[in-house]
Amino acid sequence: MSPNKTRHLRRGAQDHEDATTLNLGEEFQNTQCLFISEVRILLEAQEDSKLEGTEKRPTTNITSKALDYVRTFTRFTNRDSVREVRQLLGKKDMSQFEAAQLANLVCEDAEEAKALVPSLTNKISDERVQELLAEMLTIKKFQG
């Protein structure tokens, strides 16, 4: 999805989708955003079910490629660390989309985070973002 995609709605109105303002489109309102690490856990559980014989559907090429992708880009490797990050970012001061972006990117500092997730710029102080990033980096460092 391009950052400034325009959709034409009925009656000629236009809806401007823009991630910088969290206008992601109607289909993304009030939805749960998953972290890449959470998707990895789900796909690996599905893969384990197939190996155990409880899952009967065949593995598709798309599923295999998705699993390879999430294994490559996952930032948190165990369920406990993923749960801790979800709790940390689950506060009310940011949207699901913003929390997922921070968890997936694991930026080094607040300036980088706000450059990559611009909707945070006027929403959360640099100090608060830096605290969140430091806590996430600590979780990442000490995961098993």
Tab-separated table of all heavy atoms in Angstrom, residues 51-83:
chain	number	residue	atom	x	y	z
A	51	LEU	N	3.428	-31.768	11.110
A	51	LEU	CA	4.411	-32.810	11.418
A	51	LEU	C	3.834	-33.857	12.371
A	51	LEU	O	4.159	-35.041	12.276
A	51	LEU	CB	5.678	-32.191	12.021
A	51	LEU	CG	6.494	-31.307	11.084
A	51	LEU	CD1	7.637	-30.640	11.838
A	51	LEU	CD2	7.023	-32.107	9.900
A	52	GLU	N	2.967	-33.431	13.283
A	52	GLU	CA	2.334	-34.341	14.231
A	52	GLU	C	1.151	-35.083	13.623
A	52	GLU	O	0.615	-36.004	14.223
A	52	GLU	CB	1.864	-33.566	15.465
A	52	GLU	CG	2.999	-32.969	16.273
A	52	GLU	CD	2.512	-31.971	17.303
A	52	GLU	OE1	1.287	-31.726	17.402
A	52	GLU	OE2	3.368	-31.409	18.012
A	53	GLY	N	0.739	-34.649	12.451
A	53	GLY	CA	-0.376	-35.300	11.779
A	53	GLY	C	-1.745	-34.779	12.153
A	53	GLY	O	-2.759	-35.316	11.718
A	54	THR	N	-1.818	-33.720	12.947
A	54	THR	CA	-3.126	-33.170	13.333
A	54	THR	C	-3.655	-32.174	12.304
A	54	THR	O	-4.845	-31.895	12.281
A	54	THR	CB	-3.060	-32.481	14.714
A	54	THR	OG1	-2.057	-31.457	14.672
A	54	THR	CG2	-2.727	-33.479	15.801
A	55	GLU	N	-2.792	-31.660	11.461
A	55	GLU	CA	-3.182	-30.724	10.394
A	55	GLU	C	-3.112	-31.468	9.073
A	55	GLU	O	-2.085	-32.015	8.707
A	55	GLU	CB	-2.237	-29.517	10.379
A	55	GLU	CG	-2.486	-28.530	9.276
A	55	GLU	CD	-3.776	-27.755	9.433
A	55	GLU	OE1	-4.074	-27.303	10.548
A	55	GLU	OE2	-4.497	-27.636	8.425
A	56	LYS	N	-4.215	-31.493	8.349
A	56	LYS	CA	-4.304	-32.286	7.109
A	56	LYS	C	-4.059	-31.481	5.835
A	56	LYS	O	-3.767	-32.054	4.810
A	56	LYS	CB	-5.683	-32.956	7.017
A	56	LYS	CG	-6.006	-33.854	8.197
A	56	LYS	CD	-5.048	-35.021	8.284
A	56	LYS	CE	-5.431	-35.910	9.451
A	56	LYS	NZ	-4.368	-36.763	9.892
A	57	ARG	N	-4.209	-30.160	5.902
A	57	ARG	CA	-4.018	-29.351	4.694
A	57	ARG	C	-2.551	-29.362	4.274
A	57	ARG	O	-1.662	-29.276	5.119
A	57	ARG	CB	-4.459	-27.918	4.935
A	57	ARG	CG	-5.970	-27.791	5.081
A	57	ARG	CD	-6.345	-26.364	5.338
A	57	ARG	NE	-5.979	-26.074	6.733
A	57	ARG	CZ	-6.028	-24.890	7.297
A	57	ARG	NH1	-6.414	-23.859	6.600
A	57	ARG	NH2	-5.694	-24.712	8.549
A	58	PRO	N	-2.293	-29.429	2.981
A	58	PRO	CA	-0.900	-29.424	2.520
A	58	PRO	C	-0.263	-28.039	2.692
A	58	PRO	O	-0.953	-27.017	2.682
A	58	PRO	CB	-1.011	-29.785	1.038
A	58	PRO	CG	-2.384	-29.367	0.653
A	58	PRO	CD	-3.240	-29.555	1.871
A	59	THR	N	1.045	-28.027	2.841
A	59	THR	CA	1.780	-26.766	2.927
A	59	THR	C	1.922	-26.189	1.522
A	59	THR	O	2.376	-26.873	0.615
A	59	THR	CB	3.183	-27.007	3.528
A	59	THR	OG1	3.031	-27.585	4.821
A	59	THR	CG2	3.953	-25.715	3.648
A	60	THR	N	1.532	-24.946	1.381
A	60	THR	CA	1.629	-24.299	0.072
A	60	THR	C	2.979	-23.590	-0.049
A	60	THR	O	3.659	-23.338	0.951
A	60	THR	CB	0.507	-23.266	-0.126
A	60	THR	OG1	0.700	-22.203	0.820
A	60	THR	CG2	-0.867	-23.894	0.039
A	61	ASN	N	3.326	-23.265	-1.272
A	61	ASN	CA	4.554	-22.527	-1.532
A	61	ASN	C	4.517	-21.161	-0.840
A	61	ASN	O	5.526	-20.701	-0.308
A	61	ASN	CB	4.735	-22.372	-3.046
A	61	ASN	CG	6.086	-21.817	-3.415
A	61	ASN	OD1	7.072	-22.069	-2.727
A	61	ASN	ND2	6.134	-21.067	-4.502
A	62	ILE	N	3.369	-20.536	-0.814
A	62	ILE	CA	3.216	-19.226	-0.177
A	62	ILE	C	3.449	-19.339	1.329
A	62	ILE	O	4.134	-18.505	1.917
A	62	ILE	CB	1.825	-18.629	-0.482
A	62	ILE	CG1	1.733	-18.300	-1.967
A	62	ILE	CG2	1.552	-17.400	0.364
A	62	ILE	CD1	0.367	-17.908	-2.446
A	63	THR	N	2.899	-20.384	1.941
A	63	THR	CA	3.097	-20.582	3.375
A	63	THR	C	4.571	-20.807	3.686
A	63	THR	O	5.101	-20.253	4.651
A	63	THR	CB	2.258	-21.769	3.883
A	63	THR	OG1	0.883	-21.543	3.551
A	63	THR	CG2	2.378	-21.937	5.377
A	64	SER	N	5.237	-21.601	2.872
A	64	SER	CA	6.668	-21.855	3.080
A	64	SER	C	7.487	-20.574	2.948
A	64	SER	O	8.381	-20.312	3.761
A	64	SER	CB	7.182	-22.883	2.075
A	64	SER	OG	6.555	-24.108	2.274
A	65	LYS	N	7.175	-19.768	1.955
A	65	LYS	CA	7.896	-18.513	1.758
A	65	LYS	C	7.605	-17.532	2.899
A	65	LYS	O	8.508	-16.824	3.356
A	65	LYS	CB	7.533	-17.888	0.419
A	65	LYS	CG	8.169	-18.615	-0.752
A	65	LYS	CD	7.836	-17.948	-2.061
A	65	LYS	CE	8.496	-18.690	-3.211
A	65	LYS	NZ	8.262	-18.033	-4.490
A	66	ALA	N	6.364	-17.493	3.351
A	66	ALA	CA	6.004	-16.618	4.472
A	66	ALA	C	6.757	-17.038	5.727
A	66	ALA	O	7.266	-16.189	6.475
A	66	ALA	CB	4.498	-16.646	4.712
A	67	LEU	N	6.848	-18.332	5.962
A	67	LEU	CA	7.565	-18.841	7.129
A	67	LEU	C	9.057	-18.497	7.027
A	67	LEU	O	9.666	-18.067	8.021
A	67	LEU	CB	7.353	-20.341	7.282
A	67	LEU	CG	7.885	-20.980	8.553
A	67	LEU	CD1	7.381	-20.278	9.797
A	67	LEU	CD2	7.503	-22.454	8.591
A	68	ASP	N	9.642	-18.646	5.871
A	68	ASP	CA	11.043	-18.251	5.674
A	68	ASP	C	11.237	-16.764	5.958
A	68	ASP	O	12.212	-16.362	6.611
A	68	ASP	CB	11.506	-18.559	4.243
A	68	ASP	CG	11.659	-20.031	3.963
A	68	ASP	OD1	11.738	-20.829	4.927
A	68	ASP	OD2	11.691	-20.403	2.762
A	69	TYR	N	10.309	-15.959	5.470
A	69	TYR	CA	10.389	-14.510	5.670
A	69	TYR	C	10.336	-14.153	7.148
A	69	TYR	O	11.181	-13.406	7.648
A	69	TYR	CB	9.252	-13.819	4.912
A	69	TYR	CG	9.214	-12.325	5.122
A	69	TYR	CD1	9.961	-11.484	4.305
A	69	TYR	CD2	8.453	-11.761	6.127
A	69	TYR	CE1	9.943	-10.105	4.485
A	69	TYR	CE2	8.431	-10.391	6.324
A	69	TYR	CZ	9.174	-9.572	5.507
A	69	TYR	OH	9.156	-8.215	5.702
A	70	VAL	N	9.339	-14.674	7.867
A	70	VAL	CA	9.201	-14.301	9.278
A	70	VAL	C	10.349	-14.852	10.109
A	70	VAL	O	10.750	-14.235	11.096
A	70	VAL	CB	7.829	-14.693	9.869
A	70	VAL	CG1	6.710	-13.932	9.185
A	70	VAL	CG2	7.575	-16.181	9.825
A	71	ARG	N	10.885	-15.990	9.731
A	71	ARG	CA	12.065	-16.500	10.449
A	71	ARG	C	13.270	-15.588	10.228
A	71	ARG	O	14.095	-15.421	11.125
A	71	ARG	CB	12.382	-17.923	10.007
A	71	ARG	CG	11.449	-18.940	10.616
A	71	ARG	CD	11.780	-20.341	10.171
A	71	ARG	NE	10.958	-21.319	10.882
A	71	ARG	CZ	10.666	-22.511	10.404
A	71	ARG	NH1	11.121	-22.894	9.213
A	71	ARG	NH2	9.907	-23.326	11.103
A	72	THR	N	13.376	-15.013	9.050
A	72	THR	CA	14.487	-14.113	8.749
A	72	THR	C	14.362	-12.794	9.503
A	72	THR	O	15.349	-12.286	10.035
A	72	THR	CB	14.548	-13.832	7.233
A	72	THR	OG1	14.731	-15.066	6.549
A	72	THR	CG2	15.685	-12.871	6.890
A	73	PHE	N	13.164	-12.239	9.568
A	73	PHE	CA	12.986	-10.889	10.085
A	73	PHE	C	12.390	-10.806	11.492
A	73	PHE	O	12.137	-9.701	11.976
A	73	PHE	CB	12.144	-10.064	9.105
A	73	PHE	CG	12.860	-9.831	7.813
A	73	PHE	CD1	12.509	-10.541	6.676
A	73	PHE	CD2	13.912	-8.937	7.740
A	73	PHE	CE1	13.173	-10.343	5.484
A	73	PHE	CE2	14.588	-8.734	6.553
A	73	PHE	CZ	14.230	-9.439	5.416
A	74	THR	N	12.183	-11.929	12.143
A	74	THR	CA	11.648	-11.886	13.499
A	74	THR	C	12.661	-11.241	14.433
A	74	THR	O	13.864	-11.418	14.280
A	74	THR	CB	11.258	-13.306	13.975
A	74	THR	OG1	10.469	-13.192	15.134
A	74	THR	CG2	12.468	-14.165	14.275
A	75	ARG	N	12.178	-10.456	15.365
A	75	ARG	CA	13.059	-9.776	16.317
A	75	ARG	C	13.052	-10.461	17.682
A	75	ARG	O	14.017	-10.362	18.425
A	75	ARG	CB	12.635	-8.319	16.497
A	75	ARG	CG	12.678	-7.514	15.227
A	75	ARG	CD	14.118	-7.299	14.798
A	75	ARG	NE	14.164	-6.401	13.656
A	75	ARG	CZ	14.724	-6.691	12.509
A	75	ARG	NH1	15.276	-7.857	12.308
A	75	ARG	NH2	14.748	-5.823	11.533
A	76	PHE	N	11.964	-11.124	17.995
A	76	PHE	CA	11.813	-11.766	19.301
A	76	PHE	C	11.551	-13.246	19.048
A	76	PHE	O	10.622	-13.600	18.332
A	76	PHE	CB	10.691	-11.097	20.094
A	76	PHE	CG	10.926	-9.617	20.242
A	76	PHE	CD1	10.318	-8.712	19.396
A	76	PHE	CD2	11.814	-9.149	21.189
A	76	PHE	CE1	10.565	-7.354	19.503
A	76	PHE	CE2	12.077	-7.788	21.303
A	76	PHE	CZ	11.445	-6.885	20.459
A	77	THR	N	12.388	-14.097	19.646
A	77	THR	CA	12.415	-15.496	19.235
A	77	THR	C	11.643	-16.457	20.114
A	77	THR	O	11.502	-17.616	19.750
A	77	THR	CB	13.873	-15.986	19.144
A	77	THR	OG1	14.506	-15.778	20.414
A	77	THR	CG2	14.623	-15.238	18.061
A	78	ASN	N	11.154	-16.027	21.254
A	78	ASN	CA	10.358	-16.950	22.057
A	78	ASN	C	9.052	-16.301	22.509
A	78	ASN	O	8.919	-15.079	22.494
A	78	ASN	CB	11.164	-17.504	23.249
A	78	ASN	CG	11.519	-16.447	24.269
A	78	ASN	OD1	10.675	-15.676	24.696
A	78	ASN	ND2	12.785	-16.396	24.664
A	79	ARG	N	8.135	-17.128	22.897
A	79	ARG	CA	6.794	-16.636	23.247
A	79	ARG	C	6.796	-15.656	24.404
A	79	ARG	O	6.044	-14.696	24.411
A	79	ARG	CB	5.874	-17.815	23.559
A	79	ARG	CG	5.510	-18.613	22.349
A	79	ARG	CD	4.641	-19.805	22.711
A	79	ARG	NE	4.487	-20.644	21.542
A	79	ARG	CZ	3.330	-21.136	21.164
A	79	ARG	NH1	2.250	-20.911	21.857
A	79	ARG	NH2	3.258	-21.870	20.075
A	80	ASP	N	7.647	-15.917	25.391
A	80	ASP	CA	7.685	-15.029	26.556
A	80	ASP	C	8.138	-13.618	26.167
A	80	ASP	O	7.560	-12.632	26.623
A	80	ASP	CB	8.605	-15.593	27.635
A	80	ASP	CG	8.025	-16.849	28.283
A	80	ASP	OD1	6.785	-17.008	28.281
A	80	ASP	OD2	8.821	-17.662	28.788
A	81	SER	N	9.155	-13.526	25.337
A	81	SER	CA	9.626	-12.200	24.932
A	81	SER	C	8.582	-11.498	24.061
A	81	SER	O	8.366	-10.290	24.203
A	81	SER	CB	10.978	-12.278	24.223
A	81	SER	OG	10.923	-13.093	23.086
A	82	VAL	N	7.921	-12.235	23.191
A	82	VAL	CA	6.853	-11.651	22.363
A	82	VAL	C	5.724	-11.147	23.263
A	82	VAL	O	5.207	-10.037	23.071
A	82	VAL	CB	6.324	-12.671	21.332
A	82	VAL	CG1	5.108	-12.127	20.596
A	82	VAL	CG2	7.419	-13.050	20.348
A	83	ARG	N	5.364	-11.946	24.257
A	83	ARG	CA	4.302	-11.550	25.194
A	83	ARG	C	4.709	-10.288	25.965
A	83	ARG	O	3.900	-9.373	26.149
A	83	ARG	CB	4.020	-12.705	26.167
A	83	ARG	CG	2.782	-12.508	27.012
A	83	ARG	CD	2.479	-13.728	27.878
A	83	ARG	NE	2.255	-14.916	27.058
A	83	ARG	CZ	3.033	-16.009	27.078
A	83	ARG	NH1	4.068	-16.089	27.872
A	83	ARG	NH2	2.762	-17.041	26.307
